[in-house]
Amino acid sequence: MHSVQLSPDLLPKHIAIIMDGNGRWAKAQGKSRVFGHRKGVSAVRKTITMSAKLGIKALTLFAFSSENWQRPVEEVGVLMELFISVLSTEIKKLHKNNIRLCIVGDISRFSKSLQSKILHAENLTRNNDGLVVNIAANYGGRWDITQAVKNITEKVENGSMKSEDISEELIQSHLTMADLPEVDLMIRTSGECRISNFMLWQMAYAEMYFTPIFWPDFNEDCLVEAIDWYLNRERRFGCTSEQITTTTVSQ
Ligand code: IPE
Ligand code: IPE
Ligand code: MG
């Protein structure tokens, strides 16, 4: 395992991962796509364990997008089954490790039994103050912004808020994951260089790391490598390089 010591202050507070390439990974070995999804679970475990060990505050994993319903029914079925079984088998361990588990996305489309498992898992881990793990399921960045807009509109309609009150901060506070820092580092596996409707608002200033590795092969070293890369980025947030260097030096 990688042995670098990373200073907690410099680490990304919030890492978001598009776990992509399960299907291609499986196909490359002559297996069915769902074999790849099953294999992907161990990469999820490794990533969560390593993130907790490093002291990362929040980890958001893209498990199922709003658009993934368009996949073959059998594949969607297996993904749902996998979700239910993993949630049941892993939740105790997550809780024991002080991890807070949240499912972000429109869960109303899931089966009643999956919805109740989700609520149980979230309730159980609600007061844990270690790593926050968000599983983005039936999630889309556009859905997130849309539900925030609906929510705000209702408040304006019922008079509890005025349209002049609408600001970036207010919209932000109505998005999912509003209590967490914005994404510092976004990782996408499998060589695709796109966002695929992930956290559009929250990734406005994220550093984006793309690796050709397929998700089932992702491990602790891959995560540390991505973080190493992140640590060498100069995050300017619209300023000049000179401004950033001066601020850093005078701190
Ligand atoms: C990511 O792997 C998992 C999900 C989207 C559920 P894919 O299933 O997209 O794998 P590829 O991209 O087809 O290889
Ligand atoms: C994005 O991967 C969604 C998840 C990883 C859950 P996709 O494989 O669905 O994205 P596209 O379709 O290649 O953009
Ligand atoms: Mg894919």
Side-chain angles (χ1 to χ4, degrees):
M1 192 171 296
H2 216 287
S3 61
V4 285
Q5 279 305 309
L6 301 165
S7 152
D9 291 345
L10 299 172
L11 284 174
K13 292 186 176 60
H14 190 167
I15 300 178
I17 308 184
I18 303 182
M19 311 183 288
D20 199 10
N22 292 351
R24 278 164 286 165
W25 180 89
K27 216 175 145 192
Q29 17 211 317
K31 300 270 173 42
S32 71
R33 294 179 51 81
V34 297
F35 181 74
H37 295 317
R38 293 189 202 286
K39 223 34 209 174
V41 177
S42 61
V44 170
R45 258 187 226 114
K46 290 174 191 165
T47 306
I48 293 178
T49 310
M50 193 58 177
S51 300
K53 197 164 155 190
L54 291 170
I56 304 292
K57 189 172 169 41
L59 174 69
T60 302
L61 302 170
F62 204 4
F64 194 85
S65 75
S66 317
E67 290 76 27
N68 286 147
W69 293 107
Q70 299 172 66
R71 292 192 176 197
V73 195
E74 305 78 47
E75 181 171 343
V76 172
V78 170
L79 285 168
M80 293 301 144
E81 260 171 46
L82 203 59
F83 198 19
I84 296 181
S85 72
V86 171
L87 210 52
S88 316
T89 55
E90 305 289 314
I91 189 63
K92 279 201 197 108
K93 206 171 80 195
L94 294 173
H95 185 45
K96 215 176 81 199
N97 286 295
N98 195 24
I99 288 169
R100 172 151 67 98
L101 186 73
C102 304
I103 311 298
V104 291
D106 180 7
I107 68 163
S108 69
R109 198 165 161 186
F110 294 146
S111 69
K112 285 278 165 286
S113 81
L114 179 49
Q115 287 188 40
S116 74
K117 283 217 156 44
I118 288 173
L119 294 179
H120 168 75
E122 288 185 333
N123 277 331
L124 181 71
T125 62
R126 183 172 303 278
N127 297 318
N128 292 346
D129 59 5
L131 173 69
V132 177
V133 174
N134 300 304
I135 305 291
N138 195 17
Y139 177 87
R142 289 176 180 168
W143 166 83
D144 200 351
I145 296 170
T146 307
Q147 64 81 30
V149 170
K150 272 191 191 154
N151 220 312
I152 293 168
T153 311
E154 270 167 31
K155 291 181 184 169
V156 173
E157 273 177 354
N158 72 24
S160 64
M161 192 182 276
K162 295 198 191 78
S163 61
E164 305 92 271
D165 299 335
I166 300 174
S167 62
E168 291 187 9
E169 289 71 27
L170 184 101
I171 295 174
Q172 198 275 335
S173 71
H174 285 77
L175 293 170
T176 62
M177 300 170 268
D179 57 328
L180 297 175
E182 286 193 3
V183 177
D184 297 306
L185 169 63
M186 193 283 278
I187 299 172
R188 182 169 189 151
T189 56
S190 91
E192 306 301 347
C193 299
R194 54 177 175 261
I195 298 179
S196 300
N197 194 19
F198 198 22
M199 305 160 75
L200 300 176
W201 181 290
Q202 300 91 335
M203 293 200 324
Y205 262 105
E207 298 293 330
M208 307 219 185
Y209 179 85
F210 298 98
T211 167
I213 288 176
F214 289 140
W215 179 252
D217 286 330
F218 195 84
N219 61 20
E220 296 86 346
D221 283 352
C222 303
L223 180 66
V224 171
E225 208 173 292
I227 295 173
D228 263 347
W229 172 88
Y230 166 87
L231 293 173
N232 286 303
R233 300 283 96 206
E234 182 181 66
R235 304 188 76 193
R236 293 192 282 272
F237 298 100
C239 300
T240 64
S241 182
E242 290 72 18
Q243 288 173 300
I244 301 296
T245 320
T246 318
T247 325
T248 317
V249 169
S250 63
Q251 260 172 6

